[in-house]
Amino acid sequence: MRILSIVSTLLLLFLAVYSILTAIGNDYGFETIFSRQIDTYCSKGDICIGYSTSGKSENIIMGFKKAKSLGLTCIALTGSKKNMLAKHCDY
């Protein structure tokens, strides 16, 4: 029995690559740096994990809004229980 033949692959993307952040930020605005990448790379059934200590970062909030609209499961790590980001997360 070959275990490798039954294990599917897992893709993980780190969306904070500096050259991409700068390009998107300069061309479309820094509040869209994550939502544009999520729109490009993600699809229904994917998982979006992010963090914001304040839960108020507009670029993170817009990214999670886009993720929810695409049907992603959203998990956020924040420093505050009540914040804007929590409204757009499953966990």
Side-chain angles (χ1 to χ4, degrees), residues 11-53:
L11 175 64
L12 174 68
L13 294 175
F14 178 66
L15 299 182
V17 176
Y18 298 117
S19 58
I20 294 172
L21 297 180
T22 302
I24 293 172
N26 288 340
D27 291 347
Y28 300 101
F30 285 93
E31 68 280 357
T32 67
I33 58 177
F34 298 118
S35 61
R36 291 189 62 86
Q37 292 181 80
I38 289 169
D39 192 36
T40 301
Y41 298 121
C42 300
S43 58
K44 185 175 182 171
D46 289 347
I47 299 172
C48 177
I49 301 172
Y51 67 92
S52 169
T53 53

